[in-house]
């Protein structure tokens, strides 16, 4: 389980054998059932996670009770509400497990130690932050600039492997349309 995490970290920085052991000690496995929350809206995010198995969605609840799915992460990806994690503010987004999941978690304090304990820990943190920044800018731009059909095509490019694992209403919410509109988009595209 920790090997996948170490491989992910090693794809960005060099990790010594001693550092690998430290990582195994600090990233604690937690299991979640389908529909459990890694983080609920309004809670402070106190841990970052690496998804060893499973799938999560990022969800925002509107005042009328409607839920908006704003992102997904699957196995071999990281999960966290980074803004809440950094400034210890209540999270405006929940992170819900769509299927049974095992997530390796590290506390805020241990992650800060990770940055200084690993020889290239600071570099890893910078690279992850840069990646998150670029992804966020792309997603925000897409919601403002692209029509729903373009957003669906971008969803397919980014998440094709997730299609059989996601209910249509999560996909339609992510694209920003109601399920019947998504059905019409799919029908139009299949011609």
């Amino acid at each position: 389980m920790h090997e996948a995490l170490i491989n992910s970290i090693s794809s960005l920085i060099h990790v010594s054998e001693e550092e690998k052991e430290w990582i195994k000690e600090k990233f604690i496995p937690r299991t979640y059932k389908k529909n459990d929350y890694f983080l609920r809206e309004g809670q402070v995010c106190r841990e970052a996670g690496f998804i060893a198995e499973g799938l999560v969605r990022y969800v925002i609840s509107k005042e009328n009770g409607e839920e908006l799915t704003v992102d997904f992460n699957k196995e071999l990806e990281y999960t966290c509400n980074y803004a809440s994690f950094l400034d210890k503010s209540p999270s405006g987004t929940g992170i819900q497990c769509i299927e049974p999941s095992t997530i390796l978690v590290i506390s805020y304090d241990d992650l800060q130690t990770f940055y200084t304990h690993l020889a290239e820990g600071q570099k890893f943190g910078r690279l992850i932050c840069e990646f998150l920044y670029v992804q966020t800018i792309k997603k925000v731009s897409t919601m403002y600039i692209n029509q729903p059909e373009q957003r669906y095509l971008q969803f397919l490019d980014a998440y094709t492997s997730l299609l059989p694992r996601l209910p249509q209403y999560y996909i339609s919410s992510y694209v920003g349309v109601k399920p019947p509109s998504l059905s019409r988009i799919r029908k139009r595209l299949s011609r």
Side-chain angles (χ1 to χ4, degrees):
M1 183 179 321
H2 283 89
E3 285 308 309
L5 169 63
I6 290 168
N7 289 340
S8 174
I9 295 169
S10 297
S11 72
L12 297 174
I13 62 171
H14 172 76
V15 182
S16 71
E17 290 304 314
E18 180 267 328
E19 291 170 334
K20 288 177 185 177
E21 291 306 313
W22 187 91
I23 290 168
K24 289 177 186 176
E25 188 180 300
K26 297 299 180 182
F27 280 84
I28 309 301
R30 286 227 185 94
T31 57
Y32 298 85
K33 296 176 189 163
K34 180 179 180 176
N35 296 324
D36 280 355
Y37 280 84
F38 175 76
L39 175 69
R40 290 192 176 274
E41 290 175 80
Q43 287 181 327
V44 174
C45 187
R46 300 191 187 283
E47 298 171 322
F50 177 80
I51 304 170
E53 299 175 340
L55 178 62
V56 301
R57 75 179 179 124
Y58 293 74
V59 59
I60 297 172
S61 298
K62 293 171 70 174
E63 284 184 23
N64 65 3
E66 181 184 357
E67 292 183 340
L68 302 175
T69 299
V70 295
D71 206 357
F72 304 99
N73 282 122
K74 63 185 182 316
E75 51 279 324
L76 308 183
E77 295 179 346
Y78 298 91
T79 187
C80 182
N81 180 317
Y82 206 54
S84 172
F85 186 71
L86 289 178
D87 67 13
K88 297 175 179 49
S89 63
S91 175
T93 306
I95 303 174
Q96 183 184 32
C97 297
I98 297 174
E99 48 190 45
S101 301
T102 301
I103 302 175
L104 300 171
V105 299
I106 187 167
S107 70
Y108 175 87
D109 290 338
D110 283 341
L111 187 59
Q112 300 312 305
T113 303
F114 172 100
Y115 294 145
T116 56
H117 182 80
L118 273 67
E120 295 185 5
Q122 295 287 338
K123 178 182 176 183
F124 177 81
R126 178 182 54 80
L127 292 172
I128 291 294
C129 285
E130 289 171 355
F131 173 79
L132 292 172
Y133 176 77
V134 169
Q135 295 298 77
T136 301
I137 294 301
K138 285 180 180 179
K139 284 182 181 141
V140 169
S141 298
T142 294
M143 291 309 288
Y144 282 108
I145 296 170
N146 295 344
Q147 296 300 313
E149 189 169 304
Q150 292 169 300
R151 290 195 300 269
Y152 178 67
L153 289 170
Q154 288 171 327
F155 166 83
L156 290 177
D157 283 343
Y159 298 111
T160 301
S161 66
L162 298 184
L163 275 175
R165 297 167 67 183
L166 293 173
Q168 182 171 327
Y169 57 92
Y170 288 166
I171 298 169
S172 62
S173 176
Y174 177 82
V175 171
V177 297
K178 300 289 182 200
S181 297
L182 181 61
S183 293
R184 287 191 292 276
I185 290 170
R186 284 177 162 171
K187 191 179 237 182
R188 223 176 13 255
L189 291 172
S190 67
R191 290 185 208 162

